Amino acid sequence: MDYEKSCGALVFRKSHGNVELLLIKHLNGGYWSFPKGHVESGETEEETAIREVKEETDIDIIIDNSFREVVTYSPKKDTMKDVVYFLARAKNFDPTPQVEEIAQVKWVEINLAHSVLTYDNDKQLVNKAKSIIKETA
């Protein structure tokens, strides 16, 4: 059994009184999710999340360490993958998709995120993050 680990973030911003999440649409598979990617040698989980969000969306973030959720799934036969997600506040708001991997990047009002996200695991993360975001936003 192979094991993979990635880290990413539920990136949020406050806009016109609403909380919005940053969502990405992957070129490979066409699914909507959150920015994430593989941990590189010597990186902490937080460093990976910050780097991957920047690479995939050109958004700089501040990690909120009060939220750390792990999603485990099997992306292919004989492989298990853990994805560690943090909550993060966006420092800039004008995303640019990474052309090699990302088809589209957009801000979505948090209560509409369920209608855009592809996977149930991601929808559950939004449910868990909502109360924390309301306290910090």
Side-chain angles (χ1 to χ4, degrees), residues 99-114:
V99 294
E100 300 85 4
E101 294 182 29
I102 309 302
Q104 191 177 349
V105 180
K106 67 179 177 179
W107 291 102
V108 176
E109 204 279 322
I110 194 165
N111 293 318
L112 301 176
H114 282 77

Side-chain angles (χ1 to χ4, degrees), residues 10-13 19-24 34 87-88 106-111 113-114 117 122 125-126 129-130 133:
L10 281 73
V11 180
F12 72 94
R13 71 175 182 181
V19 174
E20 296 178 334
L21 292 175
L22 185 68
L23 303 182
I24 61 170
F34 307 108
L87 194 56
K106 67 179 177 179
W107 291 102
V108 176
E109 204 279 322
I110 194 165
N111 293 318
H114 282 77
L117 290 165
D122 292 339
L125 286 171
V126 172
K130 274 185 183 181
I133 292 173

Side-chain angles (χ1 to χ4, degrees), residues 52-69:
E52 286 291 343
V53 170
K54 179 70 173 176
E55 285 178 5
E56 292 186 350
T57 69
D58 202 32
I59 298 291
D60 296 302
I61 59 171
I62 301 167
I63 298 277
D64 176 349
N65 285 315
S66 67
F67 182 94
R68 180 186 180 276
E69 292 288 329

Side-chain angles (χ1 to χ4, degrees), residues 41-137:
S41 179
E43 278 185 330
T44 65
E45 292 175 344
E46 292 90 347
E47 288 168 342
T48 300
I50 291 167
R51 177 183 53 76
E52 286 291 343
V53 170
K54 179 70 173 176
E55 285 178 5
E56 292 186 350
T57 69
D58 202 32
I59 298 291
D60 296 302
I61 59 171
I62 301 167
I63 298 277
D64 176 349
N65 285 315
S66 67
F67 182 94
R68 180 186 180 276
E69 292 288 329
V70 181
V71 174
T72 303
Y73 65 98
S74 177
K76 57 188 178 234
K77 189 177 181 346
D78 296 326
T79 302
M80 287 307 293
K81 182 173 188 169
D82 283 343
V83 183
V84 178
Y85 284 105
F86 296 97
L87 194 56
R89 183 184 296 271
K91 292 165 65 176
N92 56 307
F93 305 137
D94 191 16
T96 303
Q98 180 185 30
V99 294
E100 300 85 4
E101 294 182 29
I102 309 302
Q104 191 177 349
V105 180
K106 67 179 177 179
W107 291 102
V108 176
E109 204 279 322
I110 194 165
N111 293 318
L112 301 176
H114 282 77
S115 65
V116 178
L117 290 165
T118 303
Y119 297 114
D120 286 340
N121 284 340
D122 292 339
K123 295 174 186 181
Q124 291 170 13
L125 286 171
V126 172
N127 292 342
K128 290 178 182 178
K130 274 185 183 181
S131 60
I132 295 170
I133 292 173
K134 285 185 177 136
E135 291 170 13
T136 62

